[in-house]
């Protein structure tokens, strides 16, 4: 027999009502949300690094301000998501600890290195593009603060994809050297971008329960198909070669057929064999530790200020 | 307008552009290295303001040069010996105290320079000043608060802040130097006479440092040379990094 | 490495997007005090000029009603339809009153 509060909870989920922070929720729902939202937040924050890698080398002043504001947005999105997650009773410092100790994950895409300027364009176009497909669907997620965060993020994110595509477009119609750079970036980032949607649903540990609770609204494979379909035309407009030689329109399905992904590589990168797994975490830890004395200083300053105030009041 | 004046304005706009891009670049090096997320975002905004200013000054210099160059040619195709920025602004980012002290010195400087530039007979320069004044008002609020917190925070933060002040002090003297080019423009009512601003700068900075329990250094040393292209070793490395992609593909668009 | 952003307090941010509209809750952030919270709110939540006015409130200072209270808080008003305009049936010619 289910408890009345659990029934009440499921009734809300089924009626498409949002669950809000103070509402009763099953412990597993809370845990599942914390896992997903914090992973999402960490991805935004770690995601600052591969693109941040090119801020100081951006080839024009216009690209420099665009990239800087884009990376800054990622930090902002991390903040929105940490905020949403904190409403579930976990602090940001706990989340950061979980990230740094490897308990919490972030999107594996950021373990790939950015080797040329074109990679910045490819990330905006493909990685943010894939993220948007996922995030648009998450705007309808059942947890209120997460849903509202997603709506905000989606509004800002469309600039990210457009600036990336525009940067790649400029390269694709530029000198042979630039075009080669664009093709190379596409070849390297296309496959990992597809893997961002996660494993096949049949192999995804959290998929089923997340769908039932409406934390996730569409399956990994459906979302991936959407992305494959929308990208074909975009590659064509660039005049670049599609990295998937097997890509083919399937009239019957109304979708493109494509090659199966190299899941061994996917799991291998997740399990620590990417070029940047260690580097990304070390960077985060280093910045965090270097910031420790600054955070200590503001607390000390604030304590002094309060003590002075109390003294004056006495 | 005589060619002499026109060339002087072009040079002046270039100098101001160099100042802005160099400082904007240094601040941008903090992205993803901030002490916490909120500060990372906030400091990024300051960098955006400075690079934005650089674009306006360079575009104006390019317009006056009228030789087919654009803002990026000014930023990316000139060598360190051709750059005319103040040395203070090119120093490496250092630790957070070092960057915030440099920021305070610069913010107080622009707090004094920009209202004067707003009075310039040159409408374009005055226009940039009008926009920049608002930005600087906010920047100063931030850097002043940070220096107060760090100076009067913990023993360690105090030590780091005092060290930064001592290390940077000698680079602040040239902020108030004038040369023939600028003097010519001052006489025309176009440029700012920075030589008159040192006292006010010193007073504002000293007040903040004292409040932050930081000792104001004696004027025992001064390094000069930014406006003549006689830079520290740091600028060359900075420009190498900044210009590498642009220069590796000559004549390309981005 | 532990106990990090705890040193900073949690603030809730409310932004008025346009003159004449209410302040609306938009998210939260960590800051040392109200002044810093206000500045960070500007930098973190109004990067695209989304606001003309910002409020920040310490999260701890917010007292929120509980779901358990819902019955005694809101149900009693269910049987007071006379508080709503639609309760009163008026002749058509004057019904847009």
């Amino acid at each position: 027999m289910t408890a009345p509060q659990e029934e009440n909870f499921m009734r809300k989920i089924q009626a498409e009502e949002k669950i809000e922070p103070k509402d009763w929720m099953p412990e597993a729902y809370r845990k599942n949300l914390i896992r997903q939202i914090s992973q999402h937040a960490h991805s935004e924050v770690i995601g600052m690094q591969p693109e941040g890698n090119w801020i100081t080398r951006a080839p024009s002043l216009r690209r420099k301000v665009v990239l800087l504001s884009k990376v800054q947005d990622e930090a902002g999105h991390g903040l929105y998501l940490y905020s949403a997650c904190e409403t579930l009773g976990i602090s940001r410092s706990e989340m950061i600890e979980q990230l740094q100790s490897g308990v919490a994950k972030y999107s594996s895409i950021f373990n790939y290195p950015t080797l040329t300027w074109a990679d910045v364009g490819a990330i905006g176009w493909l990685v943010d593009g894939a993220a948007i497909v996922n995030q648009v669907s998450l705007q309808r997620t059942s947890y209120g603060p997460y849903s509202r965060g997603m709506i905000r993020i989606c509004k800002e994110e469309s600039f990210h994809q457009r600036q990336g595509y525009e940067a790649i477009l400029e390269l694709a119609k530029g000198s042979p050297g630039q075009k080669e750079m664009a093709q190379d970036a596409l070849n390297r980032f296309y496959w990992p971008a597809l893997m961002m949607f996660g494993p096949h649903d049949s192999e995804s540990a959290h998929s089923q329960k997340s769908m039932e609770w409406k934390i996730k609204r569409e399956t990994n494979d459906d979302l991936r198909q959407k992305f494959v379909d929308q990208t074909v035309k975009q590659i064509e407009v660039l005049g670049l070669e599609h990295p998937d030689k097997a890509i083919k329109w399937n009239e019957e399905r109304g979708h493109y057929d494509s090659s199966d992904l190299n899941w061994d590589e996917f799991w291998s990168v997740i399990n620590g064999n990417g070029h940047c797994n260690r580097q990304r975490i070390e960077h985060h830890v280093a910045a965090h530790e270097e910031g420790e004395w600054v955070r200590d200083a503001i607390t000390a300053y604030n304590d002094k200020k309060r003590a002075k105030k109390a003294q004056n009041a006495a | 307008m005589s060619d002499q004046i026109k060339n002087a304005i072009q040079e002046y706009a270039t100098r101001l552009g160099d100042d802005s891009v160099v400082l904007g670049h240094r601040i941008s090096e903090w992205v993803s290295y901030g002490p916490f997320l909120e500060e990372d975002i906030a400091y990024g905004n300051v960098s955006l303001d400075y690079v934005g200013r650089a674009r306006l000054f360079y575009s104006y210099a390019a317009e006056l040069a009228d030789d087919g160059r654009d803002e990026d040619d000014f930023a990316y195709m000139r060598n360190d010996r051709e750059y005319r920025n103040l040395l203070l602004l090119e120093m490496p980012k250092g630790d957070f105290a070092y960057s915030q002290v440099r920021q305070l010195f610069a913010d107080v400087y622009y707090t004094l320079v920009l209202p004067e530039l707003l009075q310039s007979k040159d409408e374009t320069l005055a226009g940039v000043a009008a926009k920049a004044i608002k930005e600087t008002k906010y920047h100063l609020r931030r850097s002043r608060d940070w220096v107060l917190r760090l100076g009067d925070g913990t023993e360690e933060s105090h030590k780091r802040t005092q060290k930064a002040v001592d290390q940077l002090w000698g680079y602040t003297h040239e902020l108030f130097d004038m040369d023939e080019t600028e003097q010519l423009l001052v006489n025309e009512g176009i440029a700012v006479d920075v030589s008159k601003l040192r006292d006010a700068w010193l007073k504002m900075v000293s007040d903040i440092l004292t409040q932050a329990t930081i000792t104001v250094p004696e004027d025992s040393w001064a390094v000069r040379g930014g406006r003549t292209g006689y830079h520290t070793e740091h600028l060359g490395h900075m420009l190498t990094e900044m210009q590498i992609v642009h220069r590796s593909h000559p004549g390309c668009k981005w | 490495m532990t106990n990090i952003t705890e040193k900073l307090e949690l603030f809730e941010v409310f932004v008025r997007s346009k003159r004449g509209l209410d302040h609306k809750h938009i998210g939260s952030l960590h800051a040392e005090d109200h002044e810093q919270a206000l500045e960070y709110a500007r930098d973190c939540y109004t990067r695209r000029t989304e606001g003309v006015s910002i409020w920040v409130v310490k999260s701890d200072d917010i007292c929120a009603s509980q779901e358990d209270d819902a019955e005694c808080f809101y149900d009693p008003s269910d049987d007071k339809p006379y508080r709503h305009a639609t309760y009163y049936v008026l002749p058509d010619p004057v019904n847009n009153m």
Side-chain angles (χ1 to χ4, degrees), chain B residues 15-247:
Chain B
R15 290 177 183 188
L16 298 177
D18 290 347
D19 285 348
S20 306
V21 84
V22 166
L23 183 54
H25 184 98
R26 284 303 187 205
I27 302 171
S28 79
E29 292 173 350
W30 275 100
V31 173
S32 83
Y33 287 95
F36 47 98
L37 207 47
E38 285 83 351
E39 179 57 28
D40 221 308
I41 300 168
Y43 212 12
N45 275 344
V46 181
S47 177
L48 284 174
D49 288 342
Y50 273 101
V51 181
R53 255 182 233 185
R55 296 183 68 190
L56 295 172
F57 284 127
Y58 283 152
S59 296
Y60 187 40
E63 184 190 319
L64 293 170
D66 195 23
D67 54 7
R69 286 187 293 167
D70 64 11
E71 57 178 41
D72 288 333
D73 291 309
F74 278 78
Y76 290 92
M77 297 306 287
R78 287 158 58 242
N79 297 326
D80 48 346
R81 300 280 286 134
E82 296 164 282
Y83 258 68
R84 291 289 181 269
N85 60 282
L86 298 161
L87 302 179
L88 173 73
L89 309 177
E90 76 194 35
M91 301 307 281
K93 80 185 211 291
D95 65 10
F96 193 70
Y98 190 88
S99 270
Q100 290 306 330
V101 167
R102 181 237 307 269
Q103 197 66 49
L104 175 73
F105 290 171
D107 292 342
V108 172
Y109 181 65
Y110 288 117
T111 299
L112 299 166
V113 168
L114 292 172
E116 301 282 325
L117 192 61
L118 187 63
Q119 306 301 320
S120 173
K121 281 186 187 158
D122 184 300
E123 282 174 18
T124 309
L125 294 175
V128 180
K131 176 180 170 290
I133 280 175
K134 296 182 212 160
E135 298 165 352
T136 287
K137 194 172 168 194
Y138 187 70
H139 299 169
L140 177 61
R141 192 171 148 160
R142 275 178 40 84
S143 60
R144 186 200 55 213
D145 284 354
W146 269 122
V147 169
L148 291 178
R149 285 186 198 111
L150 298 179
D152 195 15
T154 60
E155 203 183 312
E156 178 176 12
S157 71
H158 176 85
K159 226 191 276 173
R160 286 177 186 253
T161 309
Q162 182 69 60
K163 189 172 159 197
V165 169
D166 295 341
Q167 284 177 331
L168 287 167
W169 195 256
Y171 296 100
T172 62
H173 297 86
E174 73 161 352
L175 267 58
F176 309 97
D177 288 349
M178 296 285 293
D179 66 0
E180 272 178 34
T181 306
E182 291 188 21
Q183 194 55 56
L184 173 72
L185 293 178
V186 166
N187 297 342
E188 295 290 322
I190 290 169
V192 177
D193 187 349
V194 287
S195 67
K196 290 188 178 145
L197 302 177
R198 173 112 213 274
D199 290 347
W201 183 88
L202 196 58
K203 171 147 192 359
M204 275 177 80
V205 167
S206 302
D207 285 351
I208 295 167
L209 292 182
T210 307
Q211 204 191 330
T213 71
I214 296 293
T215 310
V216 180
E218 302 286 327
D219 293 332
S220 56
W221 58 279
V223 182
R224 300 181 142 89
R227 293 293 192 225
T228 59
Y230 186 44
H231 289 280
T232 67
E233 290 179 350
H234 306 295
L235 184 68
H237 291 282
M238 194 199 104
L239 292 182
T240 301
E241 186 177 352
M242 185 175 119
Q243 297 175 338
I244 177 75
V245 178
H246 186 97
R247 290 199 183 203

Side-chain angles (χ1 to χ4, degrees), chain A residues 40-314:
Chain A
H40 198 158
H42 297 325
S43 299
E44 298 281 357
V45 171
I46 294 294
M48 295 169 72
Q49 293 180 33
E51 288 174 282
N53 183 31
W54 286 90
I55 290 176
T56 53
R57 290 177 288 174
S60 75
L61 293 178
R62 176 168 174 271
R63 292 286 169 207
K64 199 180 185 73
V65 289
V66 168
L67 180 59
L68 182 55
S69 55
K70 198 227 156 186
V71 175
Q72 197 199 17
D73 267 358
E74 310 292 359
H77 296 172
L79 179 73
Y80 305 161
L81 289 162
Y82 283 133
S83 289
C85 209
E86 276 173 301
T87 63
L88 290 161
I90 183 170
S91 70
R92 197 196 300 177
S93 54
E94 284 173 89
M95 288 187 260
I96 291 177
E97 222 178 280
Q98 290 177 352
L99 167 70
Q100 297 187 344
S101 65
V103 172
K105 301 274 181 249
Y106 57 88
S107 177
S108 199
I109 188 81
F110 302 119
N111 290 325
Y112 293 82
T114 51
L115 301 177
T116 73
W117 167 251
D119 289 8
V120 169
I123 288 186
W125 166 36
L126 298 170
V127 174
D128 288 72
I132 291 170
V133 169
N134 191 30
Q135 286 162 353
V136 164
S137 148
L138 282 173
Q139 292 182 104
R140 295 184 296 123
T141 190
S142 59
Y143 188 57
Y146 192 26
S147 156
R148 292 191 286 276
M150 277 299 121
I151 290 170
R152 216 183 145 66
I153 288 173
C154 282
K155 230 160 74 185
E156 300 188 349
E157 196 99 5
S158 73
F159 127 67
H160 295 182
Q161 191 185 15
R162 292 174 70 92
Q163 66 82 30
Y165 190 79
E166 188 205 62
I168 285 276
L169 185 62
E170 197 70 60
L171 298 175
K173 63 181 196 200
S175 72
Q178 285 178 306
K179 189 167 179 181
E180 196 185 314
M181 217 197 289
Q183 182 70 57
D184 171 49
L186 170 59
N187 294 348
R188 275 183 292 115
F189 277 96
Y190 180 75
W191 303 104
L194 293 185
M195 295 180 197
M196 284 172 68
F197 295 98
H200 288 309
D201 298 295
S202 50
E203 283 154 46
S204 173
H206 307 283
S207 259
Q208 202 198 341
K209 203 66 191 164
S210 290
M211 293 288 286
E212 202 175 300
W213 280 330
K214 298 187 180 171
I215 294 175
K216 265 176 74 164
R217 303 309 307 257
E218 286 170 84
T219 68
N220 293 351
D221 289 325
D222 284 351
L223 291 168
R224 183 165 21 242
Q225 181 71 58
K226 243 182 222 180
F227 180 74
V228 166
D229 290 348
Q230 77 182 31
T231 308
V232 170
K233 183 78 192 167
Q234 293 165 355
I235 295 176
E236 200 183 297
V237 169
L238 291 172
L240 297 178
E241 253 179 63
H242 200 296
D244 187 353
K245 301 295 168 244
I247 197 92
K248 195 167 174 253
W249 178 250
N250 182 327
E251 192 64 50
E252 203 176 311
R253 290 204 306 130
H255 290 293
Y256 281 92
D257 290 337
S258 52
S259 306
D260 199 19
L261 300 173
N262 182 351
W263 291 108
D264 291 342
E265 184 201 296
F266 175 77
W267 291 113
S268 162
V269 173
I270 286 194
N271 291 326
N273 301 305
H275 274 38
C276 301
N277 298 54
R278 280 150 303 277
Q279 181 190 336
R280 300 294 185 233
I281 292 296
E282 277 162 22
H283 175 138
H284 194 271
V285 170
H288 201 72
E289 285 178 354
E290 171 58 25
E292 178 94 48
W293 68 268
V294 179
R295 296 188 297 270
D296 285 342
I298 57 182
T299 321
Y301 177 75
N302 206 19
D303 288 347
K304 284 186 200 174
K305 216 168 59 178
R306 267 189 221 146
K308 243 182 245 167
K309 228 187 216 168
Q311 208 175 25
N312 290 344

